[in-house]
Amino acid sequence: MGLLLFDAEGKEVRLSSLEGKAVLLHLGAMCSPGTVAYTGGKRAKPFAGCAPQQNAPTLEAWLKRKGIDVEHPKLRIVHALFYGKNQSDPPKPEDLKEWIAHFGLAQRPNTIALRGDVAYTEQATFERIPGIQLIGPDRKFLVDCARNTGNDWNTVIKALEQHLRKVV
């Protein structure tokens, strides 16, 4: 979990700082309908002209429906944004601040929104968006699902639910 990201103030944040917590890592882009939906698009208007993917719940809503406590002290939900309002540049700090305000992320105790920098704007990153990974408290990857992995979504959902129940 040595991934280096930045908060809305530009402060460096390493996922390794969350050791001891289960991390549900959402890999996204501000210009992705899936990302907008998983972050909270159904509760808010589209962000920067990007409407949410239809019938996709927010991560928190999905977890709650499955009986997972989204405020459990051993769980962190991290929305890691690698592309800003267009598909070629990383998010700017002011864009991340706008994103956090738009979706009310500051009011969600276990949810963090972070941004990547230009080092992550490569094809391999783009192909993983939207993506979800579950990293255990011991920093081991438990579930990995991204657009390019070819994993069956229903299988991934079952694996996420099974692993989350063990760690929170």
Side-chain angles (χ1 to χ4, degrees):
M1 287 198 307
L3 181 64
L4 176 63
L5 299 166
F6 300 88
D7 68 13
E9 302 304 320
K11 179 182 163 194
E12 291 184 359
V13 178
R14 290 196 182 274
L15 290 185
S16 59
S17 68
L18 300 174
E19 187 172 356
K21 313 267 188 233
V23 176
L24 184 59
L25 179 63
H26 169 221
L27 309 172
M30 292 178 173
C31 53
S32 162
T35 300
V36 172
Y38 300 148
T39 306
K42 287 186 175 185
R43 292 185 293 204
K45 296 176 185 172
F47 183 80
C50 183
Q53 176 180 325
Q54 294 296 312
N55 301 318
T58 65
L59 292 177
E60 289 88 347
W62 174 80
L63 292 169
K64 285 178 184 178
R65 272 201 308 251
K66 296 295 183 179
I68 306 292
D69 180 4
V70 297
E71 295 183 12
H72 193 286
K74 291 187 177 181
L75 175 65
R76 292 296 177 269
I77 300 167
V78 177
H79 295 278
L81 301 166
F82 296 101
Y83 292 90
K85 295 178 180 179
N86 62 49
Q87 291 185 3
S88 59
D89 299 316
K92 298 174 187 153
E94 59 270 19
D95 293 341
L96 185 58
K97 288 177 185 177
E98 183 182 347
W99 181 269
I100 291 168
H102 184 81
F103 294 113
L105 298 181
Q107 287 78 40
R108 301 186 205 171
N110 287 4
T111 300
I112 306 165
L114 301 170
R115 63 182 182 85
D117 64 11
V118 70
Y120 295 109
T121 55
E122 56 189 35
Q123 189 64 28
T125 303
F126 184 78
E127 290 174 358
R128 296 194 62 77
I129 296 171
I132 296 175
Q133 297 176 341
L134 179 62
I135 306 164
D138 57 0
R139 297 174 55 183
K140 291 182 181 173
F141 283 85
L142 302 174
V143 178
D144 183 9
C145 177
R147 183 174 61 149
N148 71 344
T149 59
N151 293 329
D152 172 64
W153 185 245
N154 289 324
T155 302
V156 170
I157 293 295
K158 287 178 186 173
L160 271 174
E161 183 179 358
Q162 182 180 42
H163 284 291
L164 278 166
R165 290 193 187 289
K166 291 178 185 175
V167 295
V168 297

